[in-house]
Amino acid sequence: MSKRSYDSSAHEKRISKYRVNDDDLFEYVLRVAILSHVIQPKVSNHNANTCEVKEKEHHSKFSGAISNSIVSIGDIFKDLRDGSKSVKFPEKLLKVLEQRLQNIAMGKDAAYSDQLTRRTMAVFYGQFMGDPFRRQMKENRSIEELILVFAAQATSVLRKEPTLADDGWKVEVNNQIAQFVRMLRDCLKTLSHVSPELNSRLDMYHAKLAPSQSPNDSGYDSASASRDRGDSISTQPSISQGISDMSFVMIVARLFKIPESSMQSEVDRLRNTCTEKAAVTDLKTCLKNINAGAPFPGRREDFSSDTAWNHWRTQETSILSQLMVAMMSLNPELAKSMPSDNNFIYSASGARPISSSTSRIESPGGAKRHTSIGSRQSFFGATDEGEENNGDEEDSDEEIRVGHNFTFIPPNPKKFYKRLVEYCLVADLEFMFSPEVDDADEVPLSILSPPHVELINECAMRWRINHTYRATCFLDQIKQLYERSDVPMECIPEALQGITKLLQDLEIDKWPIHDSELLASIYGGLYNIFLASLYHAMDALPNLKVSVVQPYLTILEQIRESGLIERFEADISTRLSDLTTRIQDVSVQYYQEKMRSLQASPGVNRALPLLLMTDELEKAAKQLDKRFPDPLVGVVDLVSLVVEAQVPLFISELQNSSKRLYESSMNGPTPDVPIQDIFSLYRRTQALLSMYKAFVPQGQLEFDLGQFFMPYVHQWLIDTDNKTGQWVQAAIAADKFEAENTEGHSASIVDIFDSLRSPISFLQDLEWSDEYQEARFLTSISKTISKAIEQYCRSVEELFMTEMFPRPTDYLQPQKSSAWLEKAKSLATTGEKKVEPFNFRPESCVKLNNVEAARKLLDNLYNQMQVDKVADTIANHGPPVPDKNERPRFLFAVKIVMAEDLIPLDSSPSSLLDTFVTLSDEGGNRLVKTRTIYESLNPRWEETHDISVDKPLWLMCSVRDRALVGQHDVVGRSFICLNPKEFGDFLTHDVWLNLESANHGHQGKVLLRISMEGEKDDVQFYFGRAFRFLKRSEGDMMRIFIDKMSPYIRQSLSRPVLKTLIKAGSLGLDYNRALGNVTALYRSALGSNASEVQIPLPQNEKSRVRPEELTDVEIERAIVPLFDYFDANLHILNTYLSETAKDMVMMRVWKEILVIIEGLLIPPLSKLSSDMKPLSDKEVDIVFKWLKFLRDYFYAEGEGVSLEKLQNQKYRDVVSIRLYYDWHTDTLMEECVRAMQQSLREAVPVKKRVKSVYNQRNLGTIKERKKVKKEEKEVSNGETIMRILRMRPNTQEFIAQQLEMMATVQAEREHAQADKLQRRSQRPRQAEIPEVPPLPSAAS
């Protein structure tokens, strides 16, 4: 409390208008002070032995009184043992009791600091912690047994205590048992679901034991307290008559500012009046008034129920009896001189006589004025306790009249008490503000000094002022002082603490009616006072601190929980409504001022003030929610009111700024409002709306967040789509195509997918409010991804083709002087063009790895976007499709398969062509270009390209001959129309186009394999297209690898090499060198293996080896250059290709080997006759040994390709050729007919619907399709037999019939399937497809 100037006139101003005459107050206070001195035993300062002797004499003198005060524990529990049902205590009580006993034993519990109490509790704690005792307690859980065990321990300990003479230990046992029962009651209060009967039993035990333990209103303390002070009681009758020895008289003199001389005169005047006999008479009068129903000290009308009245009467009569017993025990002459029968006094009291001086609450530290607030009890802190009066006998003393005939009790005790408290408070305040008290000194928040507390307590006891009125009166006085700003607010909680303690011991319904109504009135006044304080504290919003309002809230909460202010509910509701309005008004004012301040700042970014405002609003709301998680005073949700007031204002401001924001975000390449700020504003607004919904669940805020920001998202999607091409170009330009990790891919593919992943993450992080709109956004992103993948594939393929087909001026193929190259040259026949082996570059391998890695990365994007979920959202939650007359789009997959019978442009019959194919639209724009196939008149491109159309489109198919210098020559041209009507069955169609040339006429023909499917704006469709681009690029690049290796493989496994090998004797080969070139891996292949597929030999061939026959080493030596070529190039592929790509290349190479071996043995299937001659048995044996050597090479003793993959269906078909190779022609024809009939009886495979984009939308669907394809039925041997028959004479007609039969059956099946599909499709036709345009001119 700060020191202030204190005007002397303030004394009169603080006096209540219902004042009691100060002279009368002084008179009655002085009488109590004199009585306190008269009845107080003198304290001797003799040595310890003398004190002990006199104390024993004192105890023996009033042992009779003590004997009546001991309560038998057995008597208390007798009725329960005799048949009352046991009530079990909660099991958790043992744990709580254990902690409490431990704290007491260790001296941590201030309420049980008495040494004897601690010692007894410690002994009981030792037994309590024993396992047998705890098991017993857990089993029966009897509260009576627990108390009895403690009583036994207390008796054992205290009986041996030397400081407790005679029967003093019995009193202490009673006292400690009562303390233990009360401790049990306190422990039960901390637990839930406690039986009411258990609580009532403990209350009963406590009521019977209580008079012998705690400090009570009689003014006398327990034996323990007296013992701790070490005071011995003297029975000498002489009492000092000087006021200097009268402590209370001196306190009164200082309080009323009476000189000592005058005070001595006043004391002498009242000496004969203020006697012990008069005090006893007052007490007996009070008892008689109670029995007679007189107004003072109380009657039935003063209480709301019989229970409350009986409780007070029992307690009051018990206390009065105790006071009389104590006085008569100390002065037996009083009993002799009193003419009344005092039996009822003793029977009504179970208490022992104790010193009256200890009833007053002492102030530790003596006369020190700067004691701390918590260092002493309040003067109203004790509660009167007593036992029920066992007899209501009439007082036989006729001299004691019923009424207000008292010596020490004033006419209106409560008014006198109130005036005394007020007088003491004013005096202590004057002293606190006097120069004698330093500003640094601590002063008690109760204001009252310890001497005044003791004086007030003494007067309250003698005037029979209830504790309820004492606490209420003090609170009222403090409230009035606070209203006048004479005391700080901290004094209010101190005064309320007294009420709280009192309510814990005595329920409000047991209070006198006048006291409870007075308390309710005071509470109502305090509630209004602090609601007003809270009202004004709201001016600090939103930066309101808890420390500012917490004191108000604590007081308001305490008052509200009391339930005493219900009568003021209407007034309080009005005040709370005002508080709510104030909070919202301040919040609106703060928002408006802050927004004006932000908008006043210079700058063209109109989104910045809104962004900063969202930060302020969210920061303020979170701060208030953290500081005030619970509603103020139970009903005022502070953060909810602030958010409810401010967020709608912000939304209104945002809507008003809509046009300006959009214009500022679209005004040029560098807009005033960056799109990033717009999306930040979206996130912040979304957070505010979520916050509004959380804090104001009943609020109605009409604002469509998604609709407001949708135009910005659409513009961002357009910008992202436009930038994607730049991302791809920049990534490829910066890439050196060097492997960066074990997976073998380079940086460009990672950079591109990082760029593609960024907009997806950005869009998902927006957490768009509308699920359907978000799905549409992601669909647009998927279209952008598909375009980026297509662009990347085309760019990488162009670089790949440049590396694989370098022009002489740009890149010279390095020539290596190696053994296998020399052998290749030596094996080449004179006059035949020699094949130059091609060496692969690491960069080409990295590009293939990039495409393979892109499939995995694209699959990760598929999962990140949750594409299937997005598609379901659009399908199930999208709005109804409007009736629009839009033209549908169709996606054509055009596969350029091969060309046949191309005619060289010059007249030389041996000339070959280096051809590629282009497809151009009606405007001459090139849509497709294939790779170049060199030196072939029957080239196979096997390339597929997608073309999207919305109407019939004419395409010009041109076959060109690549020229190293100058313009490429046109071999021939033809036209085809991609008409959706013709391909509406969604099946694959083989279309042969006859090539024409203006100068040369017919130039051969080209095969196109065309299929169609509907193009959709669908996320799965776009991902399917992206995967298809990657798959085709991967396949095309893989095919180039094989095309580069195939010529040399074909040359090494050719008929000329066979003929040369058979004539090996004339070549003069170095066998030792040949053996050195064959590795141990290949030598191990010479032995047979049970797991191998056995190649059958002719029946007439003998197993022995004739000297003129070729050995396996000689046969293998013929293809050693091929092995060396594989060693050189497959090592490069093995080093730089990823594991997946390497496996695919190896299998493609193996497949190519099988095709070449098959071509060595039999011609292709055709109606025309073949000039190819069958091989001899020796040549066939050599071919199959080559096949075995190559298989073992690729197997590499288990470290290469697995046998399961090597010995696939194609391998088994090639091996089966040996079975039929030597059969007679008629036998072959019969077997062919049988095989064909069996094939026709079974399900003839018909053309399936085109492989849809949807079947390739992720790696999962691609793997599933491969699995289904693998399970398809194997091809019969009929085709193999017909190919063998082509080398036999007079078989052309038979072969033609078989092929025609197969074609007829196939056509019938296809027609039936088409009809079935057409019948099933009953859907209405889409928008009409335009008519086919006329054939464009064949202009070059």
Side-chain angles (χ1 to χ4, degrees), residues 1276-1310:
S1276 67
N1277 293 325
E1279 293 185 7
T1280 301
I1281 295 174
M1282 283 190 288
R1283 293 175 68 179
I1284 296 174
L1285 287 173
R1286 283 196 67 197
M1287 297 184 295
R1288 308 290 176 90
N1290 305 320
T1291 58
Q1292 289 76 21
E1293 184 177 352
F1294 173 79
I1295 295 173
Q1297 290 176 355
Q1298 296 299 318
L1299 292 177
E1300 185 177 353
M1301 184 185 302
M1302 290 174 59
T1304 302
V1305 173
Q1306 181 73 15
E1308 290 177 356
R1309 292 297 181 96
E1310 291 180 9

Side-chain angles (χ1 to χ4, degrees), residues 276-282 284 324 328 332-342 345 395 397 399-400:
E276 292 173 288
K277 181 179 178 181
V280 172
T281 302
D282 280 3
K284 294 184 69 176
M324 287 187 286
M328 293 180 183
E333 298 298 328
L334 288 175
K336 295 179 182 179
S337 62
M338 294 296 294
S340 61
D341 181 7
N342 296 320
I345 296 176
D395 189 23
D397 188 1
E399 296 180 2
I400 298 178

